[in-house]
Amino acid sequence: MSNYPIILETISPLHIGSGESITSVGEYVATNKIVRIIDQEHLRSLLETYHLKDPYLDFILNYAKNTHVWDFFTDQEIDKELQFVREFPLNAKAFNPQSNNILELAIETSNQKYIPGSSLKGAIRTLVFAYCIYSDSSLQREIEGIISSNDNLYSIIKGVHSFENEWLDSDFKNISVRDSLGVANENIVAEIAKRVHLFGVETDGLDNLRECIMPGTQIKTMIGVKSNPVKAQLQWLYEEDLTGLFPVINQMMDLYIIFEIGLLSKSNDAVAKKLINSLHAMQREIKQYGSNTALLRLGKGKTYLFQIILPILSPESQSKIIELIVKEKEARSNFPKTRVLNDYNEMFGWVKLSLPAMPVSETDMVDNEIEALKVGETNLIAYAVDLKTVQLRLNGVFLEKVQMVNKFKIAFGRGAQIQVVVKQITKDGRLNQVEPINK
């Protein structure tokens, strides 16, 4: 088994729910953009001490007629005596405690949020299956046959999952994904999750809070891949350093983004245009990724058929799925007519997976002691990061990312020591490009 350390970085707020939720009717309060979860034992003690148990229950039962449970605590002058089991910031422009009465809690272990290995493995598995459909016309015909011969979504999803198990079970027994390390409390934030209608009609419904890992958080985990497995169908899954897997993930995510942009382009709403700009930015970022970085989505904010499978099906199959999801004929042209976004109209769940830049520690690298760099003449010892990037030490200075002109696309193992020659120097004398020396 080859184990690959992975850095997962959140690009947008990420919520992987625990299945638990609490309400703003006595379980949490939000004031001054801070969410505080109330210590219930201490609250009961306060209510008994000040003989407020019955008035408090009356207030709770008539909550719809009131404005904020915090008002009860301040009116009874016990707000300063309340204790909280924990608190974290609320990322929102405005907060209405009546409409945002539910706080969906994130999954945690040892009092820290984390990414379950099963969530990450499931997302990867779905993308791999999408690639199998995309690259195998016989499988695509089978999937589209299931769609054309069934008139309810349950039967279609059941049939598609059956094929997924048949195609992937043997391979994914050879892949493991560990639960991530815990996320520090300072990286946790509450986000408003609201349903935004993109076609000019106001929509009631979802308008809750979600406990999220904030964007820009880096989380460590591990992907294990069995070396040379027996009866493996998808050999590219087992390539060294996951160089077969990450490009496949990116290819499928790019197709999804293209499909999503097409759907959003039917709306003239300003929010839709903002989302399109965000998706275009992600497309550009994917194109910069090497074979050691991938983009995907986790947690709430997507569905199985819509996110991954639908974009790679024929127009007839797409229309059939949309017809089954949207019962109103007039509404199908606006499918899906809503998106769940945060208070700043940002999407949930985008993450970036990366192999650490270098398995060789900086201190273990050979130091290139060079008096002057000369293009085409100065040879250096470097360490491969991917097909286009190396790291090296030059006169005691660690250079983390140096572009490598690898015109023959020579495959170096990540961290492999290679000889390179200086290809380009900046005007101020800094090393800019190198080229491998063919030997």
Side-chain angles (χ1 to χ4, degrees), residues 19 39 44 65 68 85 91 96 104 109 112 119 126 147 205 213 233 236 283-284 290 331 371 384-385 391 399 418 423:
D39 184 328
R44 278 193 286 272
K65 300 177 182 179
H68 197 341
V85 294
N91 182 38
N96 183 336
E104 298 173 285
T109 182
Q112 283 194 315
S119 293
T126 300
I147 295 170
I213 301 172
Q233 295 186 81
W236 50 268
Q283 270 191 309
R284 291 191 294 271
E371 290 187 9
V385 174
Q391 294 180 337
L399 304 180
I418 58 176
K423 178 74 173 178

Side-chain angles (χ1 to χ4, degrees), residues 332-352:
R332 289 173 195 157
S333 61
N334 293 341
F335 170 79
K337 57 187 178 182
T338 64
R339 295 294 188 282
V340 175
L341 307 171
N342 74 355
D343 204 32
Y344 298 91
N345 295 321
E346 299 167 329
M347 294 172 281
F348 289 90
W350 288 101
V351 301
K352 180 171 70 173

Side-chain angles (χ1 to χ4, degrees), residues 29 77 84 107 145 198 225 236 240 276 333 355 375-377 384 429:
V29 293
E77 298 182 347
F84 307 99
I107 193 167
L198 302 176
V225 179
W236 50 268
E240 187 177 355
I276 289 172
S333 61
L355 289 160
V375 174
E377 296 183 20

Side-chain angles (χ1 to χ4, degrees), residues 208-238:
N208 295 332
L209 293 184
R210 288 178 180 171
E211 188 179 25
C212 293
I213 301 172
M214 66 172 54
T217 304
Q218 293 193 348
I219 310 161
K220 293 182 179 180
T221 186
M222 184 87 70
I223 295 179
V225 179
K226 189 173 182 179
S227 304
N228 302 315
V230 179
K231 297 181 180 179
Q233 295 186 81
L234 308 175
Q235 289 293 337
W236 50 268
L237 273 175
Y238 310 100

Side-chain angles (χ1 to χ4, degrees), residues 133-151:
I133 299 172
Y134 177 75
S135 59
D136 191 307
S137 57
S138 64
L139 177 58
Q140 183 167 344
R141 285 194 296 271
E142 295 278 8
I143 298 299
E144 292 177 345
I146 292 171
I147 295 170
S148 64
S149 60
N150 287 281
D151 290 322

Side-chain angles (χ1 to χ4, degrees), residues 162-218:
S162 177
F163 266 92
E164 179 186 336
N165 294 336
E166 181 181 332
W167 277 69
L168 297 185
D169 271 4
S170 60
D171 280 293
F172 271 77
K173 287 178 182 176
N174 301 313
I175 295 176
S176 65
V177 183
R178 293 185 189 175
D179 292 345
S180 78
L181 296 183
V183 177
N185 287 334
E186 58 261 30
N187 292 317
I188 303 302
V189 65
E191 295 276 356
I192 289 178
K194 61 181 181 178
R195 191 174 297 280
V196 179
H197 203 294
L198 302 176
F199 293 91
V201 180
E202 291 187 6
T203 304
D204 295 326
L206 179 69
D207 194 10
N208 295 332
L209 293 184
R210 288 178 180 171
E211 188 179 25
C212 293
I213 301 172
M214 66 172 54
T217 304
Q218 293 193 348

